[in-house]
Amino acid sequence: MMNLWKTIALSVGLMTLSAPALAGDLGLDVTIVVVDQAGAPIPTAVIRHPAEADRHRVNTSNGEWTTDVLYLPDGSELIFEKGMDLTLEISAPGYVTQKISYQIRKRKNRATVQLEKMSVILEDDEMDDPVIQFGRDKPIDGAE
Amino acid sequence: MHKLTLVLAMLTGLAATSTAYAGWGDFEAAFPTLPCQDGWASCIQGGQVVSPELGRDRQGNPTPGDMRVAWFDLQATAAFSPFVDLSPYTGEARVAKAEPVPVAAPAAQPSRPAATSRPAADVTPPSRGTQLARAEEPVPNRGNSMVRPGSGTAEPVAAPHEGGMTRPGSSVRPSGAEAGTAEPAGVAAPPPVESTARTEAPVEAPAATGGMTRPGALTRPVAAEGTDAVAAVEAPAATPEPPAALISAVTPAAPVVVDDSCDNIVKLEPSAMMGKLSDGQTACLEASFAAAGKQTDKDRISRVLMTNAYSKGDQQEWAKLMKRHLEDVDQSDPDLCYKYALYLNKRGASRAYGVIKWSNVALENRTVWTGDTYTTRVYSLYKLRAAASQTLWQAAEEKNAVNPTDETKGQVSEARNQTKVYAREWYEYAKAAGKDTTKALQLCVSAAGTAEYCEGQ
């Protein structure tokens, strides 16, 4: 009989201790997939909330990033809840940074973001080809 | 009614005016289409070449080419009126009198002189300058000169090349009869010397004072090849004709001066600008470069070599010379750094470090440029540098994505920070110079993560 009471007390205690963890699980998972214009995942992409200091790398194999909470610089948590408008900045080297806004639903929170390639090349009109000077003034006496 | 009269009067006046005006063709005599027969490049006026280059007045003072009246004595210069007394151009090949040809071949072998008796023909004059080369004046070979006798058979006659001038340190090579063959066209049946000798002689100056001649007419030798042009050769009356037996020994080949010397670098510049420096000249310049003690001498030589390689289209050689110049000689010329950075940029991502390095060096000396040149080139350099650093950042990210380590993470961080800084500098300059800032801002935001950094907030 004593053993039974001990078991019940232990179970209650464990449930009490795990309450915060259960509360954390209340956030809704949001998945962002970053792809290029051809639909291929961009392994070097990073995702960041504007209020956040850190950048989150996507999975290098499939370009996905999933979370249900964000930790802000002031120590607070941003738990994803249904109906919340989520703003994210997605960038990758060689691509134009994109800012998206996503409204969190009850389930199936999955968004695909397509990044546009950024081409930083020198145009023809921006280049002028200087002539190699001979490093002297032209002598007034002619070629000799 | 009055209005109608007025309109009619105006129309009549307009018609009269339009008929009174004439076209340019009516002033052909005063403004000929081409006052110089060879175009506008230069004329010869009173024996003096009039060209856009500096000229000389009567006292010998340098005078701008377009100055009609001398500054000091107010006398008319050669450019005073280029429209008087145009020398007629008949279209005929005018060949002046031929140089008297000294003949040294033995008279005993008149039939095939070139093939049998050809002493080495070294016609290099003994002193510098513009002395006429004489066949009878053998001169020891000096410096970088080369003597190329025609396949072991020499010609006893050496006609002067290019206006009868040769240069010390030069070598003479027979060309007219193709040195290897060593037999002129007229050897089998030797005609008189007037019609066989291939000579090069300066064309006589026009007699008309103040008249114009074709540019280069005084100095351009006319190589009379074959019998067409030979007919115009007029041997001077005073020229003693060689004995008939010796005439056949005359080898009428005109030598070609192969000048491999590089003592006078200024003289090599035109050839270098056309990429026409010979292998010998290039080798000579390389030797001079290695031997030069002063950096300024190295600089001049190196520039000639670079110009030659660039004009020739040999990009690999040019890049090698440019790298040597910038690393070993001088990197204070932003033109060269800019040019090299542009070249490296086209060579792909592997040269990104070089692009950044030489863009930075060029930017350090950017104050040499002014006006639009400054704006365009500085903008290009900022852009080049930012693009190159972005390439490095991308490469570091890809490497890190495949195998992330502390080292790769550090490289990513470093490359991203560099891109961030360079992109911001590019953006700020573009904004200040009134250029398009879109790409610069995009790159900066991409690297920095926030627009606030790029906007300087």
Side-chain angles (χ1 to χ4, degrees):
Chain A
M1 192 62 184
M2 281 295 287
N3 285 342
L4 178 64
W5 283 112
K6 279 183 184 175
T7 306
I8 291 170
L10 189 63
S11 300
V12 171
L14 282 172
M15 285 177 68
T16 309
L17 285 172
S18 62
L22 288 173
D25 288 341
L26 291 177
L28 298 169
D29 278 345
V30 173
T31 298
I32 305 292
V33 186
V34 187
V35 297
D36 62 12
Q37 285 169 312
I42 300 175
T44 56
V46 290
I47 297 167
R48 172 181 168 274
H49 187 272
E52 232 183 347
D54 296 332
R55 294 145 56 102
H56 308 282
R57 293 183 176 281
V58 299
N59 185 314
T60 54
S61 59
N62 57 15
E64 288 184 10
W65 172 75
T66 304
T67 191
D68 58 355
V69 62
L70 289 174
Y71 300 97
L72 302 181
D74 60 0
S76 61
E77 293 177 349
L78 184 66
I79 300 169
F80 295 166
E81 293 170 350
K82 183 188 170 190
M84 177 191 285
D85 279 328
L86 183 63
T87 303
L88 296 171
E89 288 173 354
I90 295 110
S91 63
Y95 293 88
V96 179
T97 300
Q98 213 174 102
K99 200 169 185 176
I100 63 160
S101 186
Y102 180 77
Q103 189 173 36
I104 299 174
R105 296 177 296 196
K106 190 174 180 182
R107 62 177 67 88
K108 293 184 181 176
N109 289 302
R110 184 183 178 90
T112 300
V113 179
Q114 197 172 52
L115 293 187
E116 186 188 344
K117 194 95 177 165
M118 178 172 22
S119 143
V120 185
I121 54 168
L122 216 53
E123 306 293 338
D124 286 343
D125 60 339
E126 293 170 346
M127 287 188 276
D128 67 326
D129 200 7
V131 177
I132 300 174
Q133 303 291 332
F134 285 116
R136 59 167 179 79
D137 293 330
K138 189 159 187 171
I140 58 173
D141 292 326
E144 297 290 336
Chain B
M1 190 60 189
H2 284 291
K3 281 184 181 176
L4 181 63
T5 310
L6 185 62
V7 168
L8 282 174
M10 286 175 68
L11 285 174
T12 310
L14 274 174
T17 309
S18 63
T19 52
Y21 278 119
W24 275 109
D26 296 336
F27 302 101
E28 180 65 29
F31 301 102
T33 311
L34 291 173
C36 304
Q37 285 86 344
D38 284 343
W40 288 91
S42 64
C43 306
I44 292 177
Q45 181 81 1
Q48 187 173 350
V49 176
V50 181
S51 73
E53 301 293 336
L54 280 179
R56 299 271 182 189
D57 64 9
R58 293 185 181 182
Q59 297 173 349
N61 300 309
T63 310
D66 60 346
M67 187 172 272
R68 303 287 178 95
V69 178
W71 174 264
F72 296 102
D73 55 7
L74 295 178
Q75 294 298 311
T77 65
F80 183 72
S81 175
F83 303 119
V84 295
D85 293 337
L86 292 179
S87 62
Y89 176 59
T90 61
E92 294 175 4
R94 302 183 62 190
V95 182
K97 54 193 174 186
E99 284 278 320
V101 181
V103 179
Q109 299 171 346
S111 58
R112 296 181 63 82
T116 54
S117 61
R118 284 187 163 202
D122 190 340
V123 295
T124 310
S127 61
R128 301 175 68 88
T130 57
Q131 297 180 1
L132 289 176
R134 300 293 177 192
E136 309 300 337
E137 298 175 0
V139 172
N141 189 16
R142 37 168 292 199
N144 297 294
S145 63
M146 291 170 56
V147 176
R148 296 181 187 168
S151 65
T153 58
E155 299 163 1
V157 176
H161 174 71
E162 292 294 326
M165 293 179 186
T166 59
R167 190 179 300 171
S170 62
S171 61
V172 176
R173 179 172 59 187
S175 75
E178 304 304 325
T181 62
E183 189 163 356
V187 167
V193 68
E194 293 86 2
S195 60
T196 55
R198 292 183 183 183
T199 58
E200 293 184 359
V203 179
E204 285 180 325
T209 306
M212 290 185 175
T213 62
R214 301 168 63 183
L218 276 175
T219 55
R220 183 186 305 162
V222 178
E225 292 203 304
T227 54
D228 295 342
V230 173
V233 174
E234 295 175 5
T239 304
E241 289 194 3
L246 296 180
I247 290 173
S248 59
V250 173
T251 306
V256 171
V257 177
V258 179
D259 188 356
D260 287 340
S261 66
C262 59
D263 296 339
N264 192 341
I265 294 178
V266 178
K267 264 187 177 174
L268 298 179
E269 289 173 0
S271 301
M273 288 173 75
M274 293 188 292
K276 300 281 186 191
L277 285 185
S278 67
D279 290 344
Q281 286 170 328
T282 308
C284 176
L285 285 170
E286 282 290 352
S288 301
F289 179 85
K294 295 180 188 171
Q295 287 298 92
T296 48
D297 293 340
K298 280 180 184 283
D299 183 79
R300 289 181 62 193
I301 296 167
S302 178
R303 282 170 185 270
V304 172
L305 286 168
M306 284 190 297
T307 303
N308 180 58
Y310 189 79
S311 304
K312 209 162 55 175
D314 189 349
Q315 289 234 329
Q316 201 174 359
E317 176 69 10
W318 173 80
K320 197 178 82 179
L321 293 169
M322 179 66 91
K323 187 167 187 287
R324 180 181 71 175
H325 184 92
L326 292 176
E327 289 182 347
D328 300 343
V329 181
D330 175 42
Q331 50 185 240
S332 64
D333 186 345
D335 282 355
L336 297 184
C337 298
Y338 173 67
K339 201 176 176 80
Y340 193 48
L342 280 179
Y343 167 79
L344 292 176
N345 181 56
K346 290 177 186 167
R347 303 290 291 178
S350 61
R351 309 298 176 94
Y353 284 111
V355 174
I356 294 172
K357 176 181 178 182
W358 295 116
S359 297
N360 278 330
V361 177
L363 284 170
E364 281 173 14
N365 298 299
R366 63 181 179 270
T367 49
V368 169
W369 297 320
T370 54
D372 285 343
T373 306
Y374 179 91
T375 312
T376 309
R377 291 189 184 167
V378 170
Y379 178 81
S380 300
L381 285 167
Y382 278 127
K383 186 172 182 177
L384 275 179
R385 202 177 58 167
S389 64
Q390 187 210 22
T391 307
L392 291 176
W393 174 36
Q394 203 167 348
E397 286 275 15
E398 282 165 5
K399 192 177 167 188
N400 183 58
V402 173
N403 184 22
T405 62
D406 286 345
E407 187 188 353
T408 56
K409 282 177 187 167
Q411 287 171 350
V412 166
S413 177
E414 189 182 342
R416 188 167 76 87
N417 283 333
Q418 184 176 255
T419 307
K420 190 170 73 175
V421 172
Y422 289 161
R424 180 175 170 174
E425 287 185 12
W426 173 30
Y427 170 69
E428 284 181 351
Y429 182 77
K431 204 163 56 172
K435 301 264 188 183
D436 183 21
T437 58
T438 313
K439 289 276 173 64
L441 187 59
Q442 281 176 355
L443 180 58
C444 183
V445 170
S446 172
T450 64
E452 288 79 14
Y453 169 83
C454 304
E455 298 286 358
Q457 295 170 358

